[in-house]
Amino acid sequence: ETLEASKAEDKPIFVDCYTTWCGPCKWMTANIFTNNSVADYFNENYIAVKFDMEKGEGIELAKQFKIRAYPTLIFTDAKEEILFVSVGANQDPKSYIANAKQALNPEGNLPYYQANKDEIFDNPKKMFGYFKTMSSANMVSQSDVDAYFKQFPVKDWASESNWEIITMTVRDGNNEVFKTIVANDKIFIDKHGNEASDFMAN
């Protein structure tokens, strides 16, 4: 029914993937989707549905979309191509609208970044968009992170875009990127101060 409505109204689909035991899912339902600005934007631009991923059709959808955490918010077109994925519950209503807008952006959504990664791989600003999109979906590849930083001298890692990529994607203290940052900590502390010190300490 959702797919038919998507085709009939020429709108993409928004799926709230939840479980009954998920506290953040309940919080989001009570506090985000009741927000007028969020509700109005989603109702105007999407066919919005929600499924319990542990009951009925939700079980197969969880397998199809490879959902591993809750809440997971999926934006897809009528052909079930995923346009954007967001894992977790953000407390800022504006972030949900921003994600919904990004899903509709043919030069900023998940299919765009997946198709164009190789062409933009040496562009820090565009790769920040790529990694942010992949991070939102819990789809960051550590091999992508490693290969991306290997193409630049370490001093360039401290640029604003690259530092944002680092803080968003580097989570393993044994990772070579992190070890390189620690070995060259002065570069990052000079540029980013306590933020860099706290990042390395954490």
Side-chain angles (χ1 to χ4, degrees):
E1 289 175 1
T2 302
L3 291 171
E4 288 173 2
S6 173
K7 292 171 185 174
E9 297 185 35
D10 193 25
K11 290 182 180 180
I13 300 164
F14 165 70
V15 186
D16 174 9
C17 305
Y18 76 98
T19 65
T20 55
W21 49 262
C22 169
C25 298
K26 295 175 183 177
W27 179 89
M28 198 168 55
T29 297
N31 296 281
I32 295 298
F33 298 130
T34 55
N35 178 286
N36 287 338
S37 60
V38 175
D40 289 347
Y41 186 85
F42 276 67
N43 287 330
E44 181 179 347
N45 293 279
Y46 287 90
I47 303 297
V49 294
K50 62 187 298 179
F51 287 96
D52 183 339
M53 293 289 107
E54 296 181 336
K55 294 179 182 177
E57 294 171 300
I59 296 172
E60 287 304 314
L61 286 174
K63 293 177 183 177
Q64 177 182 338
F65 293 133
K66 299 178 181 177
I67 296 172
R68 298 184 295 274
Y70 299 98
T72 293
L73 308 180
I74 292 178
F75 302 82
T76 178
D77 63 16
K79 297 178 182 178
E80 297 181 79
E81 179 180 24
I82 294 176
L83 305 175
F84 191 84
V85 178
S86 176
V87 178
N90 191 315
Q91 294 189 10
D92 180 8
K94 292 179 182 177
S95 70
Y96 294 83
I97 296 174
N99 289 344
K101 287 181 177 180
Q102 184 175 348
L104 297 174
N105 181 2
E107 294 187 358
N109 59 18
L110 190 60
Y112 168 80
Y113 282 119
Q114 289 177 321
N116 292 281
K117 180 186 73 174
D118 292 343
E119 293 179 22
I120 65 172
F121 205 69
D122 61 351
N123 185 316
K125 288 186 178 180
K126 290 186 177 181
M127 283 303 290
F128 168 71
Y130 168 82
F131 283 118
K132 184 177 181 182
T133 300
M134 301 306 284
S135 179
S136 173
N138 274 355
M139 292 171 59
V140 172
S141 162
Q142 192 58 57
S143 60
D144 276 353
V145 177
D146 294 344
Y148 172 75
F149 282 105
K150 281 180 182 177
Q151 67 185 324
F152 300 112
V154 176
K155 64 180 179 61
D156 289 350
W157 294 17
S159 72
E160 291 298 332
S161 293
N162 281 338
W163 178 247
E164 288 186 284
I165 291 171
I166 286 169
T167 58
M168 187 166 45
T169 62
V170 177
R171 294 286 181 267
D172 184 356
N174 293 315
N175 173 262
E176 287 304 316
V177 171
F178 182 71
K179 288 180 179 179
T180 302
I181 293 168
V182 173
N184 297 272
D185 59 349
K186 188 176 186 303
I187 293 174
F188 298 93
I189 293 171
D190 285 349
K191 179 78 172 178
H192 299 285
N194 289 338
E195 182 184 351
S197 299
D198 292 345
F199 171 78
M200 286 182 269
N202 290 332

